[in-house]
């Protein structure tokens, strides 16, 4: 299923019952990844004197997403998990599946799973 993080109540809300993992990246591993994170920027919420124009908003969203993704990498390393951030995404298809609005843009996705056993 697909869940939306509600920051006000610190909870996950199920929004789609379907398994859409295969659309979170073009690599075959995405079909089997236990967790797939989709980072979406809501450009309508990005305001301020330095965030004029869509390009400035997208740049800010990319930078912020990089920080969040790096924190996921650090956690996964500490927890003995594997992760990979992906930018090669069919954003149009994934946006459609997630029923995103025009001002909501997918920045990247990130797969999280168990590391393969050596050998």
């Amino acid at each position: 299923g697909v869940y939306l993080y509600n920051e006000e109540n610190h909870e996950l809300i199920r929004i789609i019952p379907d398994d859409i993992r295969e659309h979170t990246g073009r690599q075959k591993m995405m079909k089997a990844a236990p967790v797939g994170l989709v980072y979406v920027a809501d450009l309508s919420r990005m305001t301020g004197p330095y965030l004029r124009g869509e390009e400035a908003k997208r740049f800010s969203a990319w930078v912020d997403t990089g920080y969040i993704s790096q924190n996921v990498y650090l956690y996964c390393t500490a927890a003995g998990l594997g992760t990979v951030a992906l930018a090669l995404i069919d954003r149009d298809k994934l946006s459609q599946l997630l029923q995103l609005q025009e001002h909501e843009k997918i920045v990247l996705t990130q797969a999280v799973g168990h590391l393969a056993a050596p050998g």
Side-chain angles (χ1 to χ4, degrees):
V2 177
Y3 295 80
L4 175 68
Y5 176 66
N6 178 326
E7 63 206 43
E8 291 178 19
N9 297 328
H10 192 57
E11 66 181 343
L12 292 174
I13 301 168
R14 188 174 184 180
I15 58 171
I16 300 171
D18 303 327
D19 183 352
I20 65 164
R21 289 179 292 177
E22 68 180 292
H23 300 289
T24 59
R26 296 183 178 172
Q27 296 80 354
K28 291 180 182 179
M29 67 180 167
M30 297 311 294
K31 292 180 182 181
V35 174
L37 303 172
V38 180
Y39 299 102
V40 176
D42 182 348
L43 300 184
S44 71
R45 294 178 59 186
M46 301 178 77
T47 60
Y50 301 107
L51 294 174
R52 292 199 177 113
E54 182 140 339
E55 184 178 3
K57 290 179 180 183
R58 283 182 183 255
F59 180 77
S60 179
W62 293 334
V63 170
D64 290 345
T65 301
Y67 298 144
I68 297 166
S69 175
Q70 184 63 38
N71 282 331
V72 173
Y73 269 96
L74 292 171
Y75 174 81
C76 287
T77 298
L81 298 170
T83 189
V84 61
L86 304 161
L88 294 175
I89 310 155
D90 184 344
R91 284 177 173 77
D92 291 336
K93 177 67 174 174
L94 188 53
S95 293
Q96 181 183 26
L97 289 169
L98 294 174
Q99 302 171 4
L100 298 182
Q101 298 190 25
E102 184 63 32
H103 57 86
E104 298 172 315
K105 304 294 181 187
I106 296 170
V107 180
L108 59 83
T109 63
Q110 189 166 7
V112 177
H114 298 283
L115 294 171

